[in-house]
Amino acid sequence: MRSKIADLLDEIELFQDFTYTELEIISRYLRLEEADAQATIFKEGERGNYMVILLTGRIGIYKGGVRHLQLLSQEGRGRIVGEMSLLDHELRSATCIAELDCEFLTMTQDSLKKLALEQPAVAYHFMLHLARFLSKRLRRVSGMMADFMSAQEEQDEADEEESEESDE
């Protein structure tokens, strides 16, 4: 089973620079789980302590209140979600729902601590790659936010010009 998990990890971008031996070590600290379509994997506002590595199926990431959830993204095979809660044990910033039947791996804070105690070099390698992954995601979101703000400013200017023209 552990070599099967190592094989699955080997196909995921986060783990591309890992040796197969490192993947086998990391696989000992992961748990294989399943979720049926429409099952909630985690909820916005809950205290989190694990991340998810999606192996099969599709999940939706949603933001919002009790009455209305807004779809932020749909994620497929190989995607990683919930990593912020793995690191900071803070409240979840979004809800994750299985859109199709899913298989995924989870790493908890406890298993990460155990990895760090038992295999510090592998844990360091994992944390370094996770930090790079988070940095890439932050850069992407920052770029999207800048594009949104720019488009909003242009729309505000156009609305202002239209308002001035109608006043004349």
Side-chain angles (χ1 to χ4, degrees):
M1 177 64 164
R2 293 297 162 203
S3 58
K4 177 188 174 196
I5 292 175
D7 290 341
L8 294 168
L9 293 176
D10 196 33
E11 298 173 11
I12 296 172
E13 182 182 352
L14 178 69
F15 299 100
Q16 289 304 296
D17 288 343
F18 287 73
T19 66
Y20 195 79
T21 300
E22 289 174 316
L23 297 177
E24 288 180 314
I25 291 169
I26 290 170
S27 71
R28 295 194 304 249
Y29 300 88
L30 299 170
R31 187 172 60 226
L32 183 61
E33 299 191 38
E34 296 178 352
D36 293 331
Q38 304 308 310
T40 299
I41 297 171
F42 55 77
K43 288 184 181 177
E44 180 178 358
E46 289 179 339
R47 185 143 325 265
N49 71 343
Y50 63 92
M51 72 175 214
V52 171
I53 304 167
L54 188 60
L55 300 176
T56 64
R58 186 176 67 225
I59 57 176
I61 306 299
Y62 296 86
K63 187 88 172 144
V66 176
R67 293 190 186 118
H68 180 70
L69 291 176
Q70 177 70 40
L71 178 66
L72 298 178
S73 69
Q74 292 179 315
E75 307 293 344
R77 186 182 194 311
R79 298 303 295 190
I80 296 168
V81 295
E83 69 286 343
M84 292 188 307
S85 289
L86 173 69
L87 300 175
D88 64 16
H89 196 60
E90 291 295 323
L91 301 180
R92 297 279 186 188
S93 62
T95 296
C96 177
I97 299 174
E99 295 189 343
L100 302 173
D101 291 349
C102 295
E103 264 192 329
F104 54 91
L105 299 168
T106 58
M107 176 176 276
T108 65
Q109 285 182 336
D110 288 342
S111 59
L112 180 59
K113 287 176 188 174
K114 191 174 179 184
L115 174 63
L117 288 171
E118 296 173 359
Q119 299 286 337
V122 175
Y124 172 79
H125 195 191
F126 172 74
M127 292 298 291
L128 178 63
H129 279 75
L130 189 57
R132 288 179 180 155
F133 170 81
L134 283 166
S135 178
K136 282 181 187 177
R137 185 175 280 176
L138 182 58
R139 286 179 193 275
R140 187 181 77 226
V141 170
S142 294
M144 290 167 57
M145 193 65 165
D147 291 346
F148 173 79
M149 297 289 285
S150 178
Q152 188 63 46
E153 284 178 15
E154 289 175 14
Q155 182 62 47
D156 290 347
E157 288 173 8
D159 290 348
E160 191 175 302
E161 286 176 13
E162 186 176 305
S163 176
E164 288 172 2
E165 289 174 2
S166 67
D167 288 343
E168 293 176 1

